[in-house]
């Protein structure tokens, strides 16, 4: 059995819906899911021993979003406990794709799913390759060697 | 020449980047573009004589987002004047697709483009058809009769 | 020794600074502390067995803010773990005062302190007395009988 | 009649309430007024020919908030046009106090009033004096020479 068959790493971030995140329809305003995606991918990095802070400061490695997609399935409501599951979908030397599932913890209802694509840049927003140490780490997290 | 060849309505909403909308990379945090899309589509409705407020209150007609897509081309920065151009991409009886371009006004640089899909619901989030008066109005705004 | 000498209840809410909460100065934008205050007072209520959701829905008891004060002592930064300590400062039949301390967990640095005053209203924003069950509960949490 | 009796400069910033700014009580969530204060003071500076961007970049002059106060009088609602009136309340060499009134434009109802105090710092958050050119300009805007 090859290493490529290892299951990919899935990080789980937990958060509770804030009153500030609701809107006058009585549900979470949709742009907040995009912020929750960020909470999710930071947690995926942390689960691998990487902080995004350290990527930015120690390695001058920034990950601006170039493509965002979100499909909303069911509304999230005030004070609910939310689970954000994040995985690497794909990685090429200057591009990282993350995938997300946003789930209501109480009954495991899928509230939204989405993807973001990020380019790797330096602090001046110039494209640069992802440092090897991260590339290897992230590939392994995808279940590849 | 047929009515179907009229150009579609494009609404232009103007806004100025707030300090609160920037992040520590020195550019606008990406979820704010999703809020700007909302500013854009509200302006498209207003340009047709419709307020979203009135759709919600007078007609019990709500438009939750079910699909969101945004492609980021260039960063927006603090205090820049931003133009959001919004059009109807497609309308079916309970679904409305909007298209957006976010442009830096000073030099007409395209910063982002995207689409949102909305279902028409009542205040309990139950799907309902778009009232005829809106359907006709929105079709006409698409350049169709 | 009288019951009035019991120490007041202090609730501790934990959160982690999100990238979306930073601004281009590289620190948390100041309005986010106001949202963190809300996270703190919801946690104070929860620590007493009360959810704000239940106050709103079951008892038609809303707590809009009428006065807000925040003194900023030191900046909060991305990814830091933050502790929000909340207490009741005072309660009169239609007014509740909360007090807050926002602390960086790693080194216990006080980042901000503040107060909010809330009136008790029904869902139409009309002033109403705080139901007795809450009044008794909150008084006890202040160390009074 | 002395120059000191000139009326102080009042800047007026206009904005429209966004759906994202409402909460499930059907009114604007209170932390957004703090962001509107920022919109107001940036406009006060601009009315004097100063951009905050230029203060930060050209003069390494930053204005973090050290004290915030807001008194809420009446709720703001979705799609309302809002006027933020901003004045200098006081200026000392490293401290600037701004005062704000948030008004519903349609009927001139006062929705909130508040103050913020800012220290003048360099980009490393170290206190520094306000450059003379700004000091003179801001004093004059207060109606003093």
């Amino acid at each position: 059995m090859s290493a490529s068959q290892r299951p990919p790493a899935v990080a789980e971030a937990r958060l509770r819906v804030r009153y500030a995140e609701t809107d006058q329809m009585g549900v979470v305003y949709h742009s907040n899911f995009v912020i929750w995606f960020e909470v999710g991918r930071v947690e995926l990095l942390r689960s691998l021993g990487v902080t995004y802070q350290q990527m930015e400061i120690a390695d001058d490695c920034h990950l601006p979003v170039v493509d965002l997609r979100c499909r909303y399935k069911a509304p999230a409501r005030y004070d609910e406990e939310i689970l954000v599951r994040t995985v690497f979908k794909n990685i090429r030397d200057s591009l990282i794709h993350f995938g997300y599932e946003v789930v209501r913890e109480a009954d495991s209802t899928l509230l939204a799913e989405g993807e973001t694509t990020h380019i790797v840049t330096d602090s001046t927003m110039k494209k640069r390759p992802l440092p090897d140490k991260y590339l290897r780490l992230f590939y392994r997290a995808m279940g590849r060697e």
Side-chain angles (χ1 to χ4, degrees), chain A:
Chain A
M1 212 170 100
S2 87
S4 66
Q5 289 168 315
R6 277 193 298 126
V10 182
E12 299 199 329
R14 269 166 183 78
L15 54 88
R16 191 184 278 279
V17 175
R18 300 172 179 181
Y19 207 88
E21 293 173 326
T22 63
D23 67 24
Q24 71 179 32
M25 243 206 117
V27 300
V28 170
Y29 185 77
H30 61 287
S31 75
N32 290 296
F33 285 76
V34 177
I35 296 176
W36 297 352
F37 286 176
E38 175 226 300
V39 172
R41 68 182 171 266
V42 165
E43 216 47 46
L44 175 58
L45 296 180
R46 197 188 320 279
S47 74
L48 304 174
V50 175
T51 66
Y52 184 52
Q53 189 77 323
Q54 155 200 342
M55 286 185 73
E56 287 201 336
I57 293 173
D59 297 297
D60 192 24
C61 208
H62 302 259
L63 301 178
V65 179
V66 292
D67 199 318
L68 160 69
R69 181 79 188 271
C70 185
R71 292 170 297 282
Y72 299 88
K73 306 296 184 183
R77 292 177 195 278
Y78 171 60
D79 210 42
E80 288 180 344
E81 290 184 282
I82 301 295
L83 195 63
V84 185
R85 286 201 194 98
T86 311
V87 295
F88 288 107
K89 299 271 284 187
N90 201 10
I91 298 165
R92 278 170 301 159
D93 46 27
S94 290
L95 275 181
I96 306 182
H97 298 251
F98 293 94
Y100 311 89
E101 286 180 355
V102 176
V103 171
R104 186 191 302 130
E105 188 138 35
D107 60 5
S108 298
T109 302
L110 180 66
L111 304 179
E113 52 184 16
E115 300 86 35
T116 57
T117 307
H118 302 250
I119 48 165
V120 185
T121 73
D122 63 19
S123 65
T124 69
M125 291 269 182
K126 235 189 89 197
K127 211 177 187 172
R128 49 158 295 174
L130 185 65
D132 248 26
K133 62 175 174 181
Y134 294 126
L135 196 60
R136 275 197 304 270
L137 195 62
F138 297 172
Y139 264 123
R140 217 174 310 142
M142 290 179 70
R144 300 194 208 152
E145 274 333 295

